[in-house]
Amino acid sequence: MMTTTAPAAARAMPRPPVAQHAVAERIADTLRLLQDHVVISRRIVHAGDSIYQAGEAFDTLHVINSGFFKTINLAADGREQVVGLHFKGDWLGFDGIAGGHYGCDAVALDTGEVWTVRYDALLAACARHVPLLGLLHSAMSREITRDRDSLLSLCTLSADARVAEFLRYWADAMAQRGLRHDQITLRMTRAEIGNYLGMTLETVSRALSRLSREQLIAFPERGRRDVSIPDVQALGAYVQRSVAPVSTTLQ
Amino acid sequence: MMTTTAPAAARAMPRPPVAQHAVAERIADTLRLLQDHVVISRRIVHAGDSIYQAGEAFDTLHVINSGFFKTINLAADGREQVVGLHFKGDWLGFDGIAGGHYGCDAVALDTGEVWTVRYDALLAACARHVPLLGLLHSAMSREITRDRDSLLSLCTLSADARVAEFLRYWADAMAQRGLRHDQITLRMTRAEIGNYLGMTLETVSRALSRLSREQLIAFPERGRRDVSIPDVQALGAYVQRSVAPVSTTLQ
DNA sequence: CGAGGCCTTGATACACTTCAATCCGAGTGG
DNA sequence: CCACTCGGATTGAAGTGTATCAAGGCCTCG
């Protein structure tokens, strides 16, 4: 405890492989506990609908029951940045707790259902039923971890690798939730993806073309919004390869 | 509520100006409440000491009583990324809650004091004294907001602007805490700063030289670890200028 | 059919990286 | 005390990944 100097970079970060279905189970637990202990208001949303907007007074947290969502950070000067993608079981609105106002926009990427709970009611429910508090904290913790992973990818990966990692992440999220993951439908335009990944839409397009040329992905439909991913692990390997360009096998 | 299409980018994000000393007060409250309701173990740390390391079992949360800290995310393949800077009153360790293991390294940048509390004891204390739970949630919420702001800067600002924003942020954090902020001591090497900001150390160095040439900062000491910031607002203005390069006054 | 989004692809420009040389300040030991 | 070393910082020159600009293609919808 409290080593003065960390050994080396070789110290591999464990990142325990998430047990299959552990995520699905956690999500089911979350939805069930909420249903049993808090007053929920359910809401169907469609692509483009916003769940909340930056600056609105914060009252409520939201849990995704189905659908796909993005969160967008806006700076005072108008800069817009997609800072997160959110799927079934994810919570939305944590950014509002501290300041009493939401800090970003949450927008539906397609049709879905959102469960909304009053934050004060949720806290009261947590007091009565402690496991709910555990779920809440875990969700916030995971959000922090996820944001940091985004920072890591953004700073350490090339544009092509970031696109590959983006697809891998999306497919992974689908797999963890028991949804189809060998073929995913990108619900964002190239411009949105580029914004999220810190590159232009042209670069996204070129990256997708290259990945397709290398058979890591394919476009099954005539339109290019559906991406089939024959082998998710190969995508991960591609990212790794781009990190250590010419694998120094000897040494 | 639930507008289908957001008006426009012009919609300025409020970002309420943090009332001066509100932060200092919150920090004082946090430290006092912790002292009064939880068993704390205090610890003096020195530059390079790690508070915890990625992969260690998560038991405890930490609050900075004094000093400066960085958090480093490590990928399985050895990539390292400074993902956060932390000052007095900040909490460390939230990333460990969800998985039961810390997700990054927390390292002291110089001498400081850290208060450590057991997470389970903290939860128990929160149950007895609810305001403590409010502080905890606010801290987590702020962490999320901060990470997203980092993403925004990283994706939308040029290298020079990112360095300026970094200095502005640091000075701001000092001011909010009632510490000296017209002159700050960078406790990181150019390489660390570059890693944090997603650029090389040479680019950091050049950016600092340019900022100095434009009189936005100065190096009072012979060594160049101390940076004096005559006018923080001018730094902010510099960032803005770089966002809208040739201010289109007409139009 | 034409119009308008969105996407792809090419040519060019440039911000940043990479590589390399030099400089500076802090220790260290003769 | 000075010479030496060593890590960190600065600065220049060349290289490159990505942005920018521009043209054209593909669906969808009216």
Side-chain angles (χ1 to χ4, degrees):
Chain A
M1 186 173 298
M2 191 178 344
T3 50
T4 298
T5 42
R11 176 163 64 88
M13 161 67 182
R15 187 87 50 172
V18 178
Q20 212 53 22
H21 292 140
V23 174
E25 236 171 75
R26 190 191 65 230
I27 294 172
D29 285 356
T30 302
L31 295 176
R32 190 165 33 72
L33 280 185
L34 281 175
Q35 214 156 8
D36 292 352
H37 296 91
V38 202
V39 175
I40 298 170
S41 71
R42 294 175 173 76
R43 208 161 78 179
I44 303 290
V45 294
H46 300 280
D49 288 351
S50 83
I51 313 308
Y52 56 81
Q53 296 193 304
E56 278 180 25
F58 166 84
D59 266 326
T60 52
L61 286 174
H62 315 269
V63 177
I64 300 171
N65 182 63
S66 67
F68 302 84
F69 298 80
K70 64 175 175 181
T71 40
I72 305 176
N73 217 174
L74 339 178
D77 48 54
R79 281 175 291 153
E80 271 188 43
Q81 180 61 42
V82 177
V83 292
L85 298 178
H86 310 274
F87 309 102
K88 175 175 181 175
D90 289 349
W91 294 66
L92 295 170
F94 290 143
D95 50 283
I97 293 178
H101 295 266
Y102 291 110
C104 60
D105 290 10
V107 179
L109 293 172
D110 73 346
T111 301
E113 183 179 336
V114 178
W115 291 8
T116 298
V117 300
R118 288 191 54 85
Y119 178 56
D120 50 14
L122 178 66
L123 289 185
C126 286
R128 291 193 305 273
H129 191 71
V130 178
L132 196 49
L133 186 65
L135 284 174
L136 178 66
H137 287 179
S138 288
M140 296 181 82
S141 173
R142 223 171 303 110
E143 181 81 40
I144 290 170
T145 301
R146 171 65 201 152
D147 287 350
R148 291 183 177 171
D149 284 347
S150 289
L151 279 173
L152 178 69
S153 295
L154 213 48
C155 288
T156 62
L157 297 182
S158 69
D160 283 14
R162 291 211 291 285
V163 172
E165 173 65 18
F166 162 76
L167 295 171
R168 197 201 56 69
Y169 169 67
W170 191 305
D172 219 51
M174 294 301 98
Q176 288 181 349
R177 286 161 176 78
L179 303 172
R180 180 169 190 190
H181 60 277
D182 63 320
Q183 179 172 339
I184 62 184
T185 300
L186 300 178
R187 285 155 175 93
M188 311 161 73
T189 64
R190 302 292 190 252
E192 284 177 301
I193 297 171
N195 179 293
Y196 178 52
L197 298 177
M199 65 189 75
T200 61
L201 67 95
E202 293 94 331
T203 301
V204 174
S205 181
R206 282 187 245 269
L208 288 172
S209 296
R210 274 189 286 266
L211 290 174
S212 158
R213 212 170 303 135
E214 302 199 26
Q215 319 269 330
L216 289 162
I217 62 173
F219 297 103
E221 304 295 322
R222 60 201 63 225
R224 305 192 85 186
R225 284 171 67 84
D226 284 8
V227 175
S228 85
I229 302 176
D231 178 7
V232 181
Q233 301 214 357
L235 266 186
Y238 176 84
V239 173
Q240 290 314 312
R241 229 175 305 140
S242 83
V243 170
V246 186
S247 71
T248 50
T249 354
L250 304 179
Q251 174 176 319
Chain B
M1 184 173 300
M2 190 175 348
T3 50
T4 298
T5 42
R11 176 164 64 89
M13 161 67 183
R15 186 88 48 169
V18 178
Q20 212 52 22
H21 291 140
V23 174
E25 236 172 76
R26 190 192 66 230
I27 292 172
D29 285 355
T30 302
L31 295 176
R32 190 166 33 70
L33 280 186
L34 281 176
Q35 215 157 8
D36 292 352
H37 295 91
V38 203
V39 176
I40 298 169
S41 72
R42 295 175 172 77
R43 208 159 79 180
I44 303 290
V45 294
H46 300 280
D49 289 350
S50 83
I51 314 307
Y52 57 80
Q53 297 193 303
E56 278 180 26
F58 166 84
D59 265 325
T60 53
L61 286 174
H62 315 270
V63 177
I64 300 171
N65 181 63
S66 66
F68 303 84
F69 298 79
K70 63 175 175 180
T71 39
I72 305 176
N73 217 173
L74 338 178
D77 48 53
R79 281 175 292 153
E80 271 188 42
Q81 180 61 41
V82 177
V83 292
L85 298 178
H86 310 274
F87 310 102
K88 176 174 181 175
D90 289 349
W91 294 65
L92 295 170
F94 290 143
D95 51 283
I97 294 177
H101 295 265
Y102 291 111
C104 61
D105 291 9
V107 179
L109 293 173
D110 72 345
T111 301
E113 183 179 336
V114 178
W115 291 8
T116 299
V117 300
R118 289 191 53 86
Y119 178 56
D120 50 13
L122 178 66
L123 289 185
C126 287
R128 291 192 304 273
H129 191 71
V130 177
L132 196 49
L133 186 65
L135 284 174
L136 178 66
H137 287 179
S138 288
M140 296 180 82
S141 174
R142 222 172 302 109
E143 182 80 39
I144 290 171
T145 301
R146 171 64 202 153
D147 287 350
R148 291 183 177 172
D149 284 347
S150 289
L151 280 173
L152 178 69
S153 295
L154 212 49
C155 288
T156 62
L157 297 182
S158 69
D160 283 15
R162 290 211 292 284
V163 171
E165 172 65 19
F166 162 77
L167 294 171
R168 199 201 54 69
Y169 169 67
W170 191 306
D172 219 50
M174 296 300 98
Q176 288 182 348
R177 287 161 176 78
L179 303 172
R180 179 168 191 192
H181 60 277
D182 63 321
Q183 179 171 339
I184 62 184
T185 301
L186 300 178
R187 285 156 175 91
M188 310 161 74
T189 65
R190 301 293 189 253
E192 283 177 301
I193 296 171
N195 179 292
Y196 178 51
L197 298 177
M199 64 189 76
T200 61
L201 65 95
E202 292 94 331
T203 301
V204 174
S205 182
R206 282 186 245 267
L208 287 172
S209 296
R210 275 188 286 266
L211 290 174
S212 158
R213 213 170 301 137
E214 302 198 28
Q215 318 267 330
L216 288 162
I217 62 172
F219 296 104
E221 305 294 324
R222 62 202 63 226
R224 306 192 86 185
R225 285 170 66 86
D226 285 8
V227 175
S228 84
I229 302 176
D231 179 6
V232 181
Q233 301 214 358
L235 266 186
Y238 175 84
V239 173
Q240 290 314 311
R241 228 174 306 139
S242 83
V243 170
V246 186
S247 72
T248 51
T249 353
L250 304 180
Q251 173 176 319

